[in-house]
Amino acid sequence: MNYSLFYFFNHLAGHFDWIDDLMEIFAQDIVWIMLAAMVFLWFTGNESNQKLVFYSFFSASVALLIASMVISPTINHARPFVEHQVLQLIPHAPDASFPSDHATLAFSIAFSVLLVKRKLGIWMLLLAVVTGISRIYVGVHYPGDIAGAIVLSFFISITVYKLNGFMDVIPLFFIRGYRNLTRRIFHS
């Protein structure tokens, strides 16, 4: 089933150059839009936004560490272009594919934001879904790689969200440090 779904999405590639170009951009660059939105939230100066940014990055960091240090080396699942004849639209190393790092980053941010800011979180979730689908379309991930990233990101984001009251001292330390630094820079 994993390969059948992969084949469905990847088989759509190669028919319309403009769609392929768009999917290549989505597969590689949507995460930058998401990160830019988080930077914007930080620079609003609003403490709740800054805590959200901290916890989103914390969730993404934990999820990516678990993915790259534990899950990926343990499962060591080959990428589609290693195992099959596929239309690969973007270059990628033939390393382990499960779970997708791009999708883990995108969904960790999306779920973290969704738990605090519903409207923005829905937009972030939409961007994460487009990232996941495009990674399949361009031939570098199976649907299972994206599903694994979604599950991992969801559980890490929920756990961090439930624990954030206990951990508030950490983001508040960074927020105060940032504010002190900006005061010194702009008032000297």
Side-chain angles (χ1 to χ4, degrees), residues 6 25 145 153 155 175:
F6 168 80
I25 291 168
D145 302 336
S153 300
F155 282 114
I175 291 167

Side-chain angles (χ1 to χ4, degrees), residues 5-15 87 136-137:
L5 282 171
F6 168 80
Y7 181 79
F8 171 78
F9 284 106
N10 185 247
H11 193 66
L12 297 172
H15 299 290
L87 182 53
I136 301 165
Y137 182 97

Side-chain angles (χ1 to χ4, degrees), residues 149-163:
I150 292 169
V151 171
L152 174 64
S153 300
F154 178 77
F155 282 114
I156 296 299
S157 298
I158 287 285
T159 302
V160 168
Y161 176 75
K162 291 193 180 279
L163 294 175

Side-chain angles (χ1 to χ4, degrees), residues 3-145:
Y3 177 71
S4 297
L5 282 171
F6 168 80
Y7 181 79
F8 171 78
F9 284 106
N10 185 247
H11 193 66
L12 297 172
H15 299 290
F16 298 99
D17 195 42
W18 68 274
I19 294 176
D20 291 351
D21 292 343
L22 201 57
M23 294 303 261
E24 290 172 28
I25 291 168
F26 291 164
Q28 299 176 99
D29 298 329
I30 283 182
V31 292
W32 294 109
I33 294 168
M34 297 175 79
L35 292 170
M38 300 309 290
V39 168
F40 175 79
L41 281 176
W42 179 269
F43 285 115
T44 63
N46 179 302
E47 185 176 288
S48 64
N49 285 347
Q50 290 174 324
K51 284 171 47 176
L52 172 59
V53 170
F54 176 86
Y55 286 124
S56 296
F57 285 140
F58 184 73
S59 294
S61 297
V62 170
L64 285 167
L65 277 172
I66 291 171
S68 66
M69 304 290 273
V70 178
I71 299 171
S72 197
T74 302
I75 295 177
N76 199 24
H77 191 262
R79 291 190 181 269
F81 60 83
V82 172
E83 295 184 325
H84 305 284
Q85 188 75 17
V86 305
L87 182 53
Q88 184 182 349
L89 300 180
I90 61 173
H92 203 291
D95 56 354
S97 69
F98 183 88
S100 164
D101 289 341
H102 271 80
T104 299
L105 175 60
F107 280 99
S108 293
I109 292 171
F111 288 136
S112 295
V113 173
L114 184 65
L115 290 165
V116 178
K117 292 185 172 289
R118 189 160 177 80
K119 285 183 183 178
L120 180 59
I122 289 169
W123 282 106
M124 293 288 212
L125 196 56
L126 178 64
L127 291 174
V129 167
V130 171
T131 297
I133 291 170
S134 65
R135 301 289 292 174
I136 301 165
Y137 182 97
V138 300
V140 296
H141 279 291
Y142 288 106
D145 302 336

Side-chain angles (χ1 to χ4, degrees), residues 51 55 163-173 175-176:
K51 284 171 47 176
Y55 286 124
L163 294 175
N164 69 16
F166 299 108
M167 300 187 319
D168 271 353
V169 68
I170 301 168
L172 290 174
F173 171 79
I175 291 167
R176 286 186 191 112

